[in-house]
DNA sequence: TGATTTTTGTATCGACCGCTAGGAAATGCG
DNA sequence: CGCATTTCCTAGCGGTCGATACAAAAATCA
């Protein structure tokens, strides 16, 4: 409690000199190790003993620096989103149409979810299924459902702009996108290769309707 | 050990009269309760104490009748396949084409996965993710991957019969089907309704190629 | 240097995990 | 009725879970 308050204070005021014994480990590095552990094995199957081992610190150091296991996991999820899950946000921001954004998301997911440099699949999709802690399970569920909502609103924008036919079923198309992403993630965990998932992504994009108007600026 | 051997003997020889104290619970009913518990919470998150509570029996009775937790789970998975997962096999047997079979599977999955009479989603897909026991995790993974193989061979059969174009990408189409099923299952767990999943199923079927020949008997 | 502050390692804590020993209870057999 | 057999209930096993008390260690401040 008090240590956390001090930490926030030091972060805000940017004191370069602390009073007591300096920390013997790099917090960001330890957090990254925790990300990989939770990503690989999920929230419950990763014990505090597992965490202290892979993070290279003792249990008291872990609790002092990150709070309890659940708050560490919450920070892991946030940092995972920044380091590994931001490709969806980037695609939605940078691509001109919902279709182009989803196509890019699916193709990048095929690469990300099978990257040998880290555990396969998506942490948000898999790390808190079958969880004794309903709170943790629900927090990731909320993130997944938020995806669907974002997809749907992006599709609606394109419908309004004439980029998609007026009779496009936005909720169904958005949910279909979520289904593909989550299914691809599990397939990646089950051993599917990048090429296999890319083929699925290509197939899945075939359901997207053609643009309603031919003068759309991005389809010259 | 010895009790298990006796049990097999009695099952084989169909002795109607046992020597000792009769069992005070119905084994099939207790197994059904275990199915629901594992289905709802997964393998690891369902403790033996949870099982004894919902099955209404003591721990020694559980171990005597079903062996240890893992062997109970294996029996649960088998029985689940018979009672709740056989709609895929039926569709593959009864429908004349791969396309018709998959369409039926997806539509029935939308109903099954959201049935309020039991936990949502598919036990095989969710009950052993993030599992400390690699053996249990791997056994369900093998079942999931077996689906893909079955789909692929069924699609190849249709290609050979001219029911699907010769250039149909059977592996991709099979994997896409698996992705849809597994994604639908997670969406069901995340709260998607039957109607929403049916809309996704309809959308997903749009990628299937038209038959290569027009004299196919089932497309009159 | 001595006082203060923070982190560190050790050594646990109570709770729960899967699992089982041991004896009482309930049946068929003689 | 004994007697053998099987199941049931109580209690508890060793182990691991998440989390912490405590004091030595390592830094700054006066």
């Amino acid at each position: 409690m008090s240590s956390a308050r001090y930490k926030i204070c030091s972060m805000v005021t940017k004191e370069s000199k602390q009073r007591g014994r300096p920390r013997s480990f790099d917090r960001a590095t330890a957090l990254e190790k925790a990300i990989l552990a939770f990503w690989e094995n999920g929230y419950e199957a990763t014990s505090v003993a597992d965490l202290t081992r892979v993070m290279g610190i003792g249990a008291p150091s872990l609790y002092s620096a990150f709070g309890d296991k659940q708050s560490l996991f919450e920070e892991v999820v946030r940092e995972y989103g920044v380091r590994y899950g931001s490709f969806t946000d980037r695609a939605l921001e940078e691509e001109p149409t919902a279709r182009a954004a989803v196509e890019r998301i699916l193709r990048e997911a095929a690469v990300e979810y099978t990257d040998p440099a880290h555990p396969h699949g998506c942490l948000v999709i898999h790390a808190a299924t079958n969880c004794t802690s309903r709170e943790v399970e629900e927090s990731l569920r909320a993130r997944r459902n938020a995806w669907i909502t974002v997809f749907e609103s992006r599709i609606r924008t394109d419908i309004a702009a004439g980029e998609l036919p007026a009779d496009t079923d936005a909720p169904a198309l958005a949910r279909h996108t979520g289904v593909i992403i989550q299914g691809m993630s599990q397939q990646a965990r089950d051993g599917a290769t990048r090429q296999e998932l890319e083929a699925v992504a290509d197939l899945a994009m075939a359901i997207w309707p053609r643009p309603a108007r031919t003068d759309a600026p991005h389809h010259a």
Side-chain angles (χ1 to χ4, degrees), chain A:
Chain A
M1 286 296 186
S2 64
S3 72
R5 190 151 44 78
Y6 274 102
K7 208 139 299 157
I8 291 170
C9 177
S10 74
M11 281 192 294
V12 171
T13 61
K14 288 283 190 294
E15 308 175 28
S16 57
K17 293 296 181 186
Q18 291 190 58
R19 275 296 299 268
R21 175 175 175 173
R23 185 170 278 150
S24 68
F25 62 94
D26 181 53
R27 195 178 183 279
T29 303
L31 182 60
E32 175 69 18
K33 301 289 190 185
I35 292 177
L36 296 178
F38 278 128
W39 195 350
E40 175 76 36
N41 300 115
Y43 177 71
E44 301 235 277
T46 305
S47 69
V48 174
D50 293 332
L51 289 167
T52 57
R53 192 177 57 252
V54 301
M55 297 166 85
I57 62 179
S61 299
L62 187 154
Y63 281 86
S64 167
F66 299 100
D68 63 4
K69 186 187 177 187
Q70 180 171 335
S71 61
L72 168 59
F73 182 70
E74 290 168 4
E75 186 167 348
V76 158
V77 172
R78 282 196 300 273
E79 183 67 13
Y80 169 87
V82 173
R83 292 179 52 87
Y84 300 101
S86 58
F87 67 93
T88 57
D89 298 325
R90 276 201 305 277
L92 286 166
E93 287 173 9
E94 297 174 4
E95 296 299 324
T97 66
R99 183 198 167 107
V102 170
E103 181 162 14
R104 175 169 150 187
I105 287 170
L106 295 189
R107 294 198 66 87
E108 293 192 5
V111 178
E112 265 301 307
Y113 290 173
T114 59
D115 189 335
H118 53 63
H120 288 187
C122 172
L123 182 144
V124 174
I125 295 174
H126 290 106
T129 58
N130 300 328
C131 215
T132 301
S133 163
R134 293 300 171 196
E135 190 178 351
V136 172
E137 185 170 348
E138 204 58 42
S139 78
L140 291 202
R141 172 168 295 136
R143 283 180 175 259
R144 292 191 294 270
N145 286 332
W147 295 346
I148 315 286
T149 305
V150 169
F151 293 153
E152 182 178 339
S153 74
R154 183 67 188 85
I155 289 166
R156 286 196 198 281
T157 303
D158 271 22
I159 294 173
E163 196 70 48
L164 287 170
D167 64 345
T168 301
D169 188 345
L173 201 50
R175 194 165 291 278
H176 175 273
T177 303
V179 163
I180 292 289
I181 290 172
Q182 290 168 23
M184 282 174 62
S185 179
Q186 176 145 24
Q187 293 277 326
R189 296 221 113 197
D190 283 354
T193 65
R194 191 193 64 161
Q195 289 80 6
E196 288 169 335
L197 293 188
E198 284 173 341
V200 169
D202 286 345
L203 269 180
M205 288 309 298
I207 67 165
W208 281 69
R210 291 281 114 197
R213 57 193 174 88
T214 55
D215 63 332
H218 309 295
H219 291 270

PDB file of all heavy atoms in Angstrom, chain A residues 4 50 68 73-74 77 91 93 97 110 128 158 177 186 188 213:
ATOM      1  N   ALA A   4       3.326   1.413  -2.790  1.00  0.00           N
ATOM      2  CA  ALA A   4       2.733   1.784  -4.066  1.00  0.00           C
ATOM      3  C   ALA A   4       2.538   3.299  -4.143  1.00  0.00           C
ATOM      4  O   ALA A   4       2.779   3.916  -5.176  1.00  0.00           O
ATOM      5  CB  ALA A   4       1.395   1.073  -4.244  1.00  0.00           C
ATOM      6  N   ASP A  50       6.044 -19.792 -10.326  1.00  0.00           N
ATOM      7  CA  ASP A  50       6.483 -19.712 -11.724  1.00  0.00           C
ATOM      8  C   ASP A  50       6.948 -18.296 -12.060  1.00  0.00           C
ATOM      9  O   ASP A  50       8.003 -18.100 -12.688  1.00  0.00           O
ATOM     10  CB  ASP A  50       5.334 -20.090 -12.664  1.00  0.00           C
ATOM     11  CG  ASP A  50       4.937 -21.557 -12.545  1.00  0.00           C
ATOM     12  OD1 ASP A  50       5.804 -22.370 -12.187  1.00  0.00           O
ATOM     13  OD2 ASP A  50       3.764 -21.868 -12.814  1.00  0.00           O
ATOM     14  N   ASP A  68      -0.548  -7.618  -5.920  1.00  0.00           N
ATOM     15  CA  ASP A  68      -0.809  -9.065  -5.899  1.00  0.00           C
ATOM     16  C   ASP A  68      -0.862  -9.628  -7.310  1.00  0.00           C
ATOM     17  O   ASP A  68      -0.660  -8.921  -8.302  1.00  0.00           O
ATOM     18  CB  ASP A  68      -2.093  -9.361  -5.125  1.00  0.00           C
ATOM     19  CG  ASP A  68      -3.313  -8.741  -5.778  1.00  0.00           C
ATOM     20  OD1 ASP A  68      -3.170  -8.155  -6.868  1.00  0.00           O
ATOM     21  OD2 ASP A  68      -4.410  -8.848  -5.205  1.00  0.00           O
ATOM     22  N   PHE A  73      -1.317  -9.198 -13.262  1.00  0.00           N
ATOM     23  CA  PHE A  73      -1.913  -9.665 -14.509  1.00  0.00           C
ATOM     24  C   PHE A  73      -2.575  -8.517 -15.268  1.00  0.00           C
ATOM     25  O   PHE A  73      -2.447  -8.417 -16.494  1.00  0.00           O
ATOM     26  CB  PHE A  73      -2.932 -10.770 -14.224  1.00  0.00           C
ATOM     27  CG  PHE A  73      -3.555 -11.349 -15.459  1.00  0.00           C
ATOM     28  CD1 PHE A  73      -2.812 -12.139 -16.314  1.00  0.00           C
ATOM     29  CD2 PHE A  73      -4.884 -11.090 -15.770  1.00  0.00           C
ATOM     30  CE1 PHE A  73      -3.382 -12.680 -17.469  1.00  0.00           C
ATOM     31  CE2 PHE A  73      -5.457 -11.625 -16.911  1.00  0.00           C
ATOM     32  CZ  PHE A  73      -4.712 -12.426 -17.770  1.00  0.00           C
ATOM     33  N   GLU A  74      -3.250  -7.638 -14.529  1.00  0.00           N
ATOM     34  CA  GLU A  74      -3.886  -6.493 -15.193  1.00  0.00           C
ATOM     35  C   GLU A  74      -2.841  -5.631 -15.893  1.00  0.00           C
ATOM     36  O   GLU A  74      -3.048  -5.181 -17.018  1.00  0.00           O
ATOM     37  CB  GLU A  74      -4.671  -5.661 -14.167  1.00  0.00           C
ATOM     38  CG  GLU A  74      -5.920  -6.367 -13.654  1.00  0.00           C
ATOM     39  CD  GLU A  74      -6.518  -5.679 -12.434  1.00  0.00           C
ATOM     40  OE1 GLU A  74      -5.996  -4.614 -12.029  1.00  0.00           O
ATOM     41  OE2 GLU A  74      -7.498  -6.217 -11.877  1.00  0.00           O
ATOM     42  N   VAL A  77      -1.720  -7.400 -19.004  1.00  0.00           N
ATOM     43  CA  VAL A  77      -2.674  -7.281 -20.108  1.00  0.00           C
ATOM     44  C   VAL A  77      -2.538  -5.910 -20.780  1.00  0.00           C
ATOM     45  O   VAL A  77      -2.533  -5.809 -22.014  1.00  0.00           O
ATOM     46  CB  VAL A  77      -4.111  -7.502 -19.594  1.00  0.00           C
ATOM     47  CG1 VAL A  77      -5.126  -7.181 -20.685  1.00  0.00           C
ATOM     48  CG2 VAL A  77      -4.284  -8.930 -19.117  1.00  0.00           C
ATOM     49  N   ALA A  91      -4.292  -0.670 -37.642  1.00  0.00           N
ATOM     50  CA  ALA A  91      -4.979  -0.937 -38.906  1.00  0.00           C
ATOM     51  C   ALA A  91      -6.265  -0.136 -39.001  1.00  0.00           C
ATOM     52  O   ALA A  91      -6.576   0.440 -40.051  1.00  0.00           O
ATOM     53  CB  ALA A  91      -5.264  -2.434 -39.025  1.00  0.00           C
ATOM     54  N   GLU A  93      -6.926   2.653 -37.610  1.00  0.00           N
ATOM     55  CA  GLU A  93      -6.651   4.082 -37.782  1.00  0.00           C
ATOM     56  C   GLU A  93      -6.115   4.392 -39.167  1.00  0.00           C
ATOM     57  O   GLU A  93      -6.491   5.391 -39.769  1.00  0.00           O
ATOM     58  CB  GLU A  93      -5.629   4.540 -36.734  1.00  0.00           C
ATOM     59  CG  GLU A  93      -6.177   4.636 -35.321  1.00  0.00           C
ATOM     60  CD  GLU A  93      -5.066   4.928 -34.323  1.00  0.00           C
ATOM     61  OE1 GLU A  93      -3.924   5.218 -34.742  1.00  0.00           O
ATOM     62  OE2 GLU A  93      -5.338   4.845 -33.107  1.00  0.00           O
ATOM     63  N   THR A  97     -10.594   2.038 -45.275  1.00  0.00           N
ATOM     64  CA  THR A  97     -11.917   1.412 -45.191  1.00  0.00           C
ATOM     65  C   THR A  97     -11.928   0.317 -44.131  1.00  0.00           C
ATOM     66  O   THR A  97     -10.874  -0.209 -43.736  1.00  0.00           O
ATOM     67  CB  THR A  97     -12.320   0.776 -46.532  1.00  0.00           C
ATOM     68  OG1 THR A  97     -11.427  -0.313 -46.810  1.00  0.00           O
ATOM     69  CG2 THR A  97     -12.274   1.798 -47.658  1.00  0.00           C
ATOM     70  N   ALA A 110      -2.338 -13.519 -38.551  1.00  0.00           N
ATOM     71  CA  ALA A 110      -1.736 -14.786 -38.980  1.00  0.00           C
ATOM     72  C   ALA A 110      -0.241 -14.795 -38.683  1.00  0.00           C
ATOM     73  O   ALA A 110       0.317 -15.818 -38.272  1.00  0.00           O
ATOM     74  CB  ALA A 110      -1.990 -15.012 -40.473  1.00  0.00           C
ATOM     75  N   ALA A 128      -7.395 -16.133 -19.867  1.00  0.00           N
ATOM     76  CA  ALA A 128      -8.312 -16.149 -18.720  1.00  0.00           C
ATOM     77  C   ALA A 128      -9.590 -16.919 -19.028  1.00  0.00           C
ATOM     78  O   ALA A 128     -10.652 -16.565 -18.543  1.00  0.00           O
ATOM     79  CB  ALA A 128      -8.625 -14.734 -18.269  1.00  0.00           C
ATOM     80  N   ASP A 158     -18.491   3.104 -42.722  1.00  0.00           N
ATOM     81  CA  ASP A 158     -18.309   2.874 -44.155  1.00  0.00           C
ATOM     82  C   ASP A 158     -19.645   2.771 -44.875  1.00  0.00           C
ATOM     83  O   ASP A 158     -19.766   3.195 -46.030  1.00  0.00           O
ATOM     84  CB  ASP A 158     -17.491   1.595 -44.390  1.00  0.00           C
ATOM     85  CG  ASP A 158     -16.006   1.893 -44.418  1.00  0.00           C
ATOM     86  OD1 ASP A 158     -15.608   2.935 -43.856  1.00  0.00           O
ATOM     87  OD2 ASP A 158     -15.249   1.087 -44.991  1.00  0.00           O
ATOM     88  N   THR A 177     -16.019 -11.169 -38.022  1.00  0.00           N
ATOM     89  CA  THR A 177     -14.601 -10.813 -37.919  1.00  0.00           C
ATOM     90  C   THR A 177     -14.030 -11.284 -36.583  1.00  0.00           C
ATOM     91  O   THR A 177     -12.935 -11.853 -36.533  1.00  0.00           O
ATOM     92  CB  THR A 177     -14.438  -9.296 -38.058  1.00  0.00           C
ATOM     93  OG1 THR A 177     -15.005  -8.875 -39.304  1.00  0.00           O
ATOM     94  CG2 THR A 177     -12.976  -8.913 -38.015  1.00  0.00           C
ATOM     95  N   GLN A 186      -6.959 -19.676 -31.664  1.00  0.00           N
ATOM     96  CA  GLN A 186      -6.910 -21.041 -31.117  1.00  0.00           C
ATOM     97  C   GLN A 186      -6.210 -21.992 -32.074  1.00  0.00           C
ATOM     98  O   GLN A 186      -5.448 -22.860 -31.643  1.00  0.00           O
ATOM     99  CB  GLN A 186      -8.313 -21.559 -30.799  1.00  0.00           C
ATOM    100  CG  GLN A 186      -8.287 -23.017 -30.330  1.00  0.00           C
ATOM    101  CD  GLN A 186      -9.314 -23.335 -29.279  1.00  0.00           C
ATOM    102  OE1 GLN A 186     -10.322 -22.673 -29.161  1.00  0.00           O
ATOM    103  NE2 GLN A 186      -9.063 -24.361 -28.484  1.00  0.00           N
ATOM    104  N   ALA A 188      -3.825 -21.268 -33.993  1.00  0.00           N
ATOM    105  CA  ALA A 188      -2.390 -21.030 -33.835  1.00  0.00           C
ATOM    106  C   ALA A 188      -1.860 -21.777 -32.614  1.00  0.00           C
ATOM    107  O   ALA A 188      -0.775 -22.372 -32.647  1.00  0.00           O
ATOM    108  CB  ALA A 188      -2.116 -19.534 -33.701  1.00  0.00           C
ATOM    109  N   ARG A 213     -20.750   2.268 -54.150  1.00  0.00           N
ATOM    110  CA  ARG A 213     -20.554   3.252 -55.231  1.00  0.00           C
ATOM    111  C   ARG A 213     -19.177   3.038 -55.836  1.00  0.00           C
ATOM    112  O   ARG A 213     -18.251   2.565 -55.182  1.00  0.00           O
ATOM    113  CB  ARG A 213     -20.696   4.676 -54.691  1.00  0.00           C
ATOM    114  CG  ARG A 213     -19.745   5.009 -53.559  1.00  0.00           C
ATOM    115  CD  ARG A 213     -20.171   6.311 -52.876  1.00  0.00           C
ATOM    116  NE  ARG A 213     -19.365   6.598 -51.698  1.00  0.00           N
ATOM    117  CZ  ARG A 213     -18.229   7.282 -51.746  1.00  0.00           C
ATOM    118  NH1 ARG A 213     -17.759   7.733 -52.893  1.00  0.00           N
ATOM    119  NH2 ARG A 213     -17.567   7.533 -50.629  1.00  0.00           N
TER     120      ARG A 213
END
